[in-house]
Amino acid sequence: MKKHFSVLRVSACVAALAAGPILTGCSGVVKNLNSAQINAPSLTLSNPFGTNNAAAAVLVSNTAKPSIAAGHVALNAPLAAANVSTFPFTRQSAGSLSSAAVGSASVSFNVNPTVTVDGTQSLPATFTLSTVTIVAEADDLDSTGATADSVILPALTSSAPIVFTQSAAGSSTYTAAGTITLATGTISGATVSKLFTVVTGENLNKQAVLTLTATSPDLPAGSLVHIKLDSSSLNLKAN
């Protein structure tokens, strides 16, 4: 059984997360990372932000004591926070899809269902993560490594609670039943235009900054849940 985090419903012509090339619902051939050609007005970039197989951490606020803020303002530079992860990536090829032609996009992350929990306190046999929020930022870096341009994507928020079960009594390892997919719905307007520019244009070097937070009725405020981002995709669609 699969569980999903989503901000908006994905449109019929935007594919969900895929590990490799598939056919879109818009009769276009989806291309992988750094594809040099495109045969239809749609394109999927695999691992667009350099997060595949990378580790990240979710900062937990207890619902009874919500003392931890659930979001953040524009970062534009890495912060020394356990739940803020920075991933380098390079300029992606959009083939023949131009900035003027792109009309919408969606982003998907596939998360490994096995996680670990920090802390020396007695851990529960099961715990639930609810109201999970991911704020993703993509930055263009100039030759000095400073942020030259930046875009923050719409926040991804859980649509349903995720229940994790302890692998063994006293263990810090837990597993959810099935794959966890985190996805935006349709991104459009000025945000998709800036996203396209940052990811496929400007300077060669980029960085993605992900901030992950959640609430839980079962874990102490300040707990860190460590996850693995298995795969990701950026799905672009022309007007």
Side-chain angles (χ1 to χ4, degrees):
M1 177 178 65
K2 292 188 177 181
K3 298 179 176 68
H4 298 275
F5 300 159
S6 62
V7 166
L8 299 171
R9 297 295 181 187
V10 180
S11 64
C13 290
V14 179
L17 178 68
I22 59 173
L23 294 180
T24 70
C26 299
S27 300
V29 177
V30 171
K31 298 295 182 179
N32 269 334
L33 181 66
N34 291 328
S35 170
Q37 296 180 345
I38 182 168
N39 298 325
S42 60
L43 178 74
T44 292
L45 300 178
S46 180
N47 192 26
F49 308 122
T51 61
N52 284 16
N53 300 312
V58 181
L59 181 63
V60 177
S61 175
N62 188 281
T63 50
K65 300 177 181 179
S67 57
I68 299 172
H72 82 299
V73 296
L75 294 172
N76 294 320
L79 296 180
N83 66 315
V84 179
S85 300
T86 302
F87 307 95
F89 68 100
T90 55
R91 182 172 57 225
Q92 308 299 304
S93 171
S96 62
L97 188 61
S98 68
S99 178
V102 67
S104 62
S106 67
V107 176
S108 298
F109 294 96
N110 202 33
V111 178
N112 192 297
T114 298
V115 304
T116 59
V117 181
D118 275 358
T120 58
Q121 74 278 3
S122 178
L123 294 173
T126 65
F127 71 87
T128 298
L129 288 184
S130 53
T131 321
V132 178
T133 301
I134 294 183
V135 177
E137 174 181 312
D139 300 329
D140 178 62
L141 305 179
D142 64 20
S143 58
T144 69
T147 300
D149 203 356
S150 180
V151 60
I152 297 178
L153 304 185
L156 295 83
T157 303
S158 58
S159 60
I162 306 299
V163 178
F164 293 86
T165 303
Q166 203 170 33
S167 61
S171 175
S172 61
T173 302
Y174 290 77
T175 301
T179 300
I180 302 169
T181 299
L182 306 100
T184 62
T186 301
I187 304 169
S188 58
T191 301
V192 73
S193 178
K194 177 59 72 69
L195 177 62
F196 185 89
T197 298
V198 168
V199 173
T200 68
E202 302 179 308
N203 298 299
L204 175 63
N205 293 316
K206 325 280 183 178
Q207 69 178 12
V209 184
L210 302 186
T211 302
L212 297 91
T213 55
T215 56
S216 173
D218 312 306
L219 296 176
S223 297
L224 285 176
V225 176
H226 297 273
I227 67 171
K228 180 181 177 183
L229 298 167
D230 281 345
S231 56
S232 60
S233 67
L234 169 61
N235 308 293
L236 298 165
K237 185 172 181 288
N239 291 307

